[in-house]
Amino acid sequence: MEQKLFVYNTLTRKKEEFIPLNPGHVGMYVCGPTVYSDVHIGNCRTFISFDLIFRYLLHLGYKVRYVRNITDAGHLEGDSDEGEDKVSKKAKIAQLEPMEIVQKYTVDFHSVMQVFNALPPSIEPTATGHIIEQIELVKDILAKGYAYEVDGSVYFDVEKYNQTQDYGILNGRKLEDMLNNTRSLGGQNEKHGKLDFALWIKAKPEHLMKWPSPWGMGFPGWHLECSAMSNKYLGHQFDIHGGGIDLMPTHHTNEIAQNVACCGKNPASYWLHTNMLTTNGQKMSKSLGNSFLPHELFLGAHPLLKKGYSPMTVRFFFMQASYRSTVDFSNEAIEAAEIFYKKLAETAKKLAVLQQNAVTGVDEETDKAINEFCDDCYHSMNDNFNSPKTLEALNNLSKWINSYSANTRNSGEITAATFERMKKTYNDFFFDVLGLKQDDNENADTDDLMNLVIKLRNEAKANKDYATSDKIREGLKNIGFQLNDNKQGTTDWIRI
Ligand code: AMP
Ligand code: ZN
């Protein structure tokens, strides 16, 4: 079967055939989390969407180098060049070292990704681990004449860049329009132009995370780390650059400008953006207070939730929409996802033990229909990773698998090759591509999940947040888990 993959490229605003720079290989960079607090379910949606993309590229046989960074320095409150570093701010409040904050939230992020069955990236570099590379990049951009230094800080000169390049190439906006619609922000007295952004920021004496540089003690601007790390691990040009759509207008626009300025090249051929998870139509976000955390969703421990939903139900819920559509969270929608997920998971169980009856005579029409549903799995994923259509195709296959399993139809009515293809396609797409797995009877996963929940509850107790800790205990009880508390806190649990 011919397999041309088409992806929607934000850069060209159209669907294009995916042709990697090096045949058989894919370089993919995705902006990772800023590890200063727990990831909410919206962040998880973005990372799960890229996990789907990663998994499908692997399924097609590509050798994929997937780089997803950890932002542990340089990301200021308000996402601009103003305010405190998010990590340092949290460290001061918690009276901890910034690296203790980074460690805690990185470990938690990994546990959450594991619970959602997301594959780890090939490389997960950190901003603090690449200060030297970032300084080199600033030097390079200065040498090329696209940046200037003022009193220990270095800024990118957007208007100068736009004289020869198109600064708005990704967001599709004209420079004048952007200038007219931009407020004066931090460092404005130092910046030559309103849109200029910091490559390197001079550290105030009380600033916790700072490094020596040719411009004095300071720290890198947020946009710089992704250019430095993608350059280092994927080269000046690679195939896919991804992130949430909210990163596109500024963070990714600036990343392109930095790369073109230093290396003369837009770093990625295809820019892929995931859309937002919303609650009541509003983007889910920490600052708006309308977000909930993975464990709250698993336990139903949030006023917006009627009950808890398993990680695989949540993953399935995300797969029911294209990664480019917004998804509005509602109990009704996720309840429907739960029913659908259980149905397809049940089919996978039946399929695992299904043996074909002896082929007695092939029903051409059925044989053709089953082959077409198998083709549909590929067609849908080849059409910009259209997972809802893939689920539809699996649902169609599921109807046949269930009738063969119940013997309401004779599985000997299709060829042995079609039977094997049906089995392989269903398993490949359900488990490997969509990244789903069985929810129950998987003790190892339950252990991971319970360890995560117990850890979060112990933290809540340590912070004297007894309301949350009680909510977790009650929520778990309602779904059949009893926590055993002892002097050390909660260390184990039983099913009740
Ligand atoms: P941050 O840690 O804030 O840098 O965000 C990590 C990733 O989550 C980024 O790619 C964001 O675009 C993405 N993100 C943030 N909010 C949402 C949301 N409500 N829905 C989907 N993705 C989101
Ligand atoms: Zn980035």
Side-chain angles (χ1 to χ4, degrees):
M1 201 176 88
E2 200 189 0
Q3 290 180 12
K4 278 190 180 173
L5 171 62
F6 285 81
V7 300
Y8 182 87
N9 190 352
T10 313
L11 194 62
T12 54
R13 282 162 269 281
K14 53 177 193 269
K15 251 185 232 174
E16 293 175 343
E17 187 183 342
F18 178 70
I19 304 172
L21 293 166
N22 298 317
H25 295 255
V26 177
M28 173 161 97
Y29 186 93
V30 172
C31 296
T34 305
V35 283
Y36 73 106
S37 68
D38 294 303
V39 277
H40 60 64
I41 255 328
N43 305 128
C44 294
R45 180 185 178 210
T46 283
F47 297 123
I48 291 171
S49 297
F50 282 105
D51 183 57
L52 171 76
I53 292 170
F54 179 38
R55 282 169 173 274
Y56 190 55
L57 293 168
L58 291 174
H59 178 75
L60 292 181
Y62 286 112
K63 276 193 76 151
V64 188
R65 182 178 291 170
Y66 172 21
V67 183
R68 186 185 65 206
N69 69 302
I70 292 282
T71 297
D72 56 357
H75 195 170
L76 305 187
E77 304 161 275
D79 294 356
S80 67
D81 300 334
E82 188 178 57
E84 252 190 286
D85 182 294
K86 291 183 185 192
V87 172
S88 297
K89 186 176 175 193
K90 185 70 177 255
K92 275 187 205 155
I93 295 169
Q95 293 187 310
L96 293 169
E97 273 294 318
M99 279 298 138
E100 285 182 284
I101 298 293
V102 165
Q103 181 73 16
K104 172 182 162 24
Y105 291 110
T106 305
V107 169
D108 287 356
F109 172 62
H110 289 158
S111 335
V112 167
M113 286 295 105
Q114 201 181 351
V115 165
F116 279 123
N117 203 26
L119 299 172
S122 331
I123 305 177
E124 199 170 39
T126 62
T128 55
H130 296 77
I131 299 294
I132 292 171
E133 287 81 355
Q134 294 183 72
I135 292 175
E136 287 306 310
L137 201 57
V138 179
K139 282 199 223 161
D140 205 0
I141 298 172
L142 273 169
K144 302 265 165 58
Y146 289 110
Y148 53 91
E149 185 203 344
V150 182
D151 187 28
S153 292
V154 181
Y155 297 100
F156 191 94
D157 191 336
V158 171
E159 281 164 75
K160 171 147 188 221
Y161 172 82
N162 201 64
Q163 285 166 11
T164 51
Q165 305 291 338
D166 180 5
Y167 176 66
I169 191 163
L170 187 66
N171 63 22
R173 293 176 66 191
K174 292 258 162 286
L175 191 79
E176 298 71 51
D177 172 41
M178 284 189 259
L179 281 167
N180 291 337
N181 289 297
T182 305
R183 291 184 290 132
S184 294
L185 285 170
Q188 198 53 55
N189 47 358
E190 291 185 342
K191 289 182 188 177
H192 294 174
K194 266 203 232 176
L195 292 174
D196 294 357
F197 58 90
L199 298 173
W200 187 262
I201 304 170
K202 179 183 178 172
K204 297 197 179 93
E206 69 276 14
H207 196 89
L208 292 178
M209 297 168 94
K210 54 192 167 195
W211 292 266
S213 79
W215 318 284
M217 289 302 279
F219 58 97
W222 172 40
H223 316 299
L224 192 66
E225 60 174 277
C226 292
S227 291
M229 295 189 270
S230 64
N231 257 304
K232 173 154 179 167
Y233 298 108
L234 297 168
H236 292 333
Q237 266 191 314
F238 50 93
D239 302 298
I240 297 175
H241 193 309
I245 191 72
D246 55 335
L247 299 185
M248 184 273 283
T250 309
H251 182 59
H252 291 163
T253 290
N254 291 347
E255 246 190 271
I256 293 180
Q258 289 167 165
N259 272 65
V260 173
C262 77
C263 323
K265 286 171 183 148
N266 182 321
S269 318
Y270 305 92
W271 285 81
L272 269 53
H273 290 103
T274 56
N275 217 322
M276 296 291 110
L277 181 68
T278 59
T279 12
N280 296 321
Q282 221 179 14
K283 177 187 164 186
M284 189 180 276
S285 115
K286 277 165 213 158
S287 50
L288 292 174
N290 65 349
S291 63
F292 35 81
L293 305 179
H295 73 276
E296 293 175 323
L297 186 49
F298 304 151
L299 296 170
H302 191 281
L304 281 169
L305 294 164
K306 279 198 202 143
K307 65 177 196 101
Y309 301 92
S310 77
M312 283 306 110
T313 295
V314 180
R315 186 170 173 119
F316 192 95
F317 170 64
F318 292 150
M319 297 294 146
Q320 280 188 294
S322 150
Y323 74 91
R324 290 197 63 238
S325 316
T326 53
V327 168
D328 197 47
F329 184 86
S330 77
N331 284 280
E332 291 67 34
I334 198 159
E335 247 161 61
E338 187 175 49
I339 295 168
F340 195 1
Y341 159 67
K342 283 192 174 152
K343 182 181 166 204
L344 294 193
E346 203 46 46
T347 302
K349 274 190 200 160
K350 290 181 191 159
L351 188 59
V353 292
L354 186 64
Q355 302 283 344
Q356 189 181 18
N357 296 339
V359 180
T360 44
V362 175
D363 179 322
E364 298 292 341
E365 216 174 288
T366 306
D367 200 80
K368 186 164 168 258
I370 291 179
N371 273 297
E372 278 173 2
F373 295 143
C374 292
D375 291 345
D376 287 349
C377 289
Y378 284 94
H379 291 154
S380 53
M381 284 302 286
N382 284 340
D383 181 14
N384 194 32
F385 314 101
N386 192 334
S387 52
K389 279 257 156 49
T390 310
L391 288 176
E392 224 175 277
L394 287 184
N395 192 35
N396 285 328
L397 284 176
S398 146
K399 288 176 193 154
W400 293 101
I401 296 166
N402 289 336
S403 359
Y404 293 148
S405 170
N407 261 320
T408 51
R409 280 190 83 104
N410 176 7
S411 59
E413 66 176 345
I414 54 176
T415 66
T418 300
F419 184 86
E420 277 316 306
R421 185 173 182 221
M422 172 181 81
K423 202 165 175 169
K424 180 163 171 26
T425 308
Y426 195 93
N427 283 331
D428 282 356
F429 279 82
F430 185 85
F431 294 108
D432 298 345
V433 175
L434 297 174
L436 296 163
K437 57 183 182 177
Q438 300 293 350
D439 246 347
D440 52 356
N441 302 329
E442 299 232 353
N443 293 332
D445 295 341
T446 310
D447 284 347
D448 283 346
L449 189 59
M450 287 302 290
N451 287 341
L452 174 68
V453 172
I454 288 172
K455 193 158 154 263
L456 292 163
R457 180 164 178 264
N458 284 340
E459 274 167 26
K461 279 213 261 181
N463 292 333
K464 301 202 174 8
D465 179 3
Y466 299 115
T468 301
S469 106
D470 288 349
K471 229 192 261 174
I472 294 177
R473 158 175 281 282
E474 283 312 301
L476 284 174
K477 210 166 157 195
N478 292 339
I479 54 170
F481 293 96
Q482 167 89 51
L483 296 180
N484 292 336
D485 287 334
N486 55 38
K487 275 192 192 133
Q488 285 79 44
T490 307
T491 45
D492 71 327
W493 53 274
I494 50 163
R495 282 182 196 272
I496 45 174

